[in-house]
Amino acid sequence: QVQLAESGGGSVQAGGSLRLTCLVSGSGFARSRLCMAWFRQTPGKSREWVGAIESDGTTAYAESVKGRFTLSQENRGRTVYLQLNSLKPEDTAMFYCAADLNLVWSDKCLLGRSNDFGYWGQGTQVTVSS
């Protein structure tokens, strides 16, 4: 069983930065099997993929955040960070950490499809004011 816990959200002005953290806990699985991703969602809209990272550090990003957001990991991949730079008001959303054990071996980790992910955190709110 995989548990995810996000933190680091908050309110910033446009142009500011935040670092979101996703802590991975649980047992009975190898971190090397986990595909980790971040999604975001605003009221009335479907979840939007932000980016994903595999255990070997391979990353992929949505075009809307490429060059501004950066994924990284430490603690043998049990802590995943999403660095948010040059934030814009349109980045305001609830950000969710997601994981799945079957996407790495099936080469689907970096495709960004929310329905592929079986584990989700509770979310952390990011609000960017103009």
Side-chain angles (χ1 to χ4, degrees), residues 16 27 74 81 91 98 101 109 120 130:
S27 60
E74 65 179 22
Y81 300 107
D91 293 319
L101 290 166
C109 178
W120 293 84
S130 58

Side-chain angles (χ1 to χ4, degrees), residues 8-20 68-69 83-93 95 125-130:
S11 297
V12 296
Q13 291 190 326
S17 298
L18 286 171
R19 188 176 76 165
L20 307 185
R68 299 189 298 123
F69 294 3
Q83 178 68 39
L84 315 176
N85 293 332
S86 302
L87 282 162
K88 305 175 182 179
E90 52 263 43
D91 293 319
T92 295
F95 280 70
Q125 177 69 36
V126 171
T127 302
V128 185
S129 58
S130 58

Side-chain angles (χ1 to χ4, degrees), residues 3-9 20-24 35-53 69 71 80-82 84 91-100 112 114 117-126:
Q3 288 95 42
L4 306 174
E6 306 97 331
S7 62
L20 307 185
T21 300
C22 178
L23 294 178
V24 182
C35 169
M36 301 296 302
W38 286 89
F39 289 80
R40 62 185 179 183
Q41 188 172 25
T42 54
K45 294 187 178 181
S46 59
R47 286 183 180 176
E48 176 192 11
W49 178 68
V50 173
I53 184 168
F69 294 3
L71 283 159
V80 176
Y81 300 107
L82 180 65
L84 315 176
D91 293 319
T92 295
M94 184 71 79
F95 280 70
Y96 295 92
C97 179
D100 199 87
S114 62
F117 288 84
Y119 301 99
W120 293 84
Q122 293 300 306
T124 185
Q125 177 69 36
V126 171

